[in-house]
Amino acid sequence: MIDVVEEKRVGVARVRVRYAETDQMGVVYHSNYLIWFEVGRVELIRSMGLNYKRMEVEEGRGIAVVDVHVRYRAPARYDDELVVETRLLAARGAVIKFGYKVLRVEDGTLLCEGQTVHVVVGKDMKKQSLPPKYAARFAAYLDPRSSDVQ
């Protein structure tokens, strides 16, 4: 069993594999990892003291996925408890990059790792800058010298 140490610069989300998320071979269907990446990403943003939903509603901006890289290392199975570790890797202008690791809690096995690249867009789906409050918080998270981390 792994001990999950919540570092300030790593978002941690727990999920349990549901039966519907497995395929005929009894393992998690590959696209479910992308859903768990999203869960991790939203939790990381929340841990920063920010709210993604509020950014969409009040600021009129979203973060569209434009690139995904995933490396599957070992299968997850029904009822496994998993930890999704999410890190902010880069945020510059309208581009944001996140990194992920999915581990099985029981034995600490790395099941999957990946990265997503996002572009900040308005409701018209045209590229826009990250709202100032979000840009400042992301910059603080990326600066290892910063103490402005929630």
Side-chain angles (χ1 to χ4, degrees), residues 12-133:
V12 176
R14 288 181 179 255
V15 295
R16 186 168 296 275
V17 177
R18 297 173 296 182
Y19 186 78
E21 294 168 322
T22 62
D23 62 17
Q24 285 184 318
M25 294 182 291
V27 300
V28 168
Y29 186 70
H30 69 278
S31 66
N32 287 299
Y33 289 91
L34 298 179
I35 295 167
W36 298 333
F37 285 5
E38 179 183 353
V39 170
R41 188 168 57 247
V42 170
E43 288 305 316
L44 174 65
I45 292 170
R46 184 175 285 119
S47 76
M48 292 180 182
L50 300 171
N51 185 305
Y52 182 71
K53 182 178 179 182
R54 191 170 294 137
M55 184 175 83
E56 285 186 329
V57 174
E58 294 174 8
E59 304 282 348
R61 295 188 190 130
I63 53 173
V65 177
V66 296
D67 192 30
V68 175
H69 292 272
V70 182
R71 172 85 168 131
Y72 302 98
R73 301 206 170 265
R77 300 183 184 281
Y78 169 65
D79 206 39
D80 281 350
E81 184 179 8
L82 311 177
V83 169
V84 181
E85 295 180 349
T86 307
R87 291 167 176 79
L88 178 64
L89 301 178
R92 193 170 131 217
V95 179
I96 307 166
K97 186 175 186 179
F98 295 93
Y100 312 88
K101 288 184 180 179
V102 180
L103 304 119
R104 186 174 20 249
V105 170
E106 182 180 4
D107 58 9
T109 300
L110 175 62
L111 305 174
C112 175
E113 56 191 334
Q115 296 179 353
T116 57
V117 178
H118 306 256
V119 172
V120 180
V121 296
K123 291 182 181 186
D124 59 359
M125 294 305 287
K126 292 187 179 176
K127 186 165 55 170
Q128 294 193 10
S129 61
L130 197 58
K133 174 173 75 174

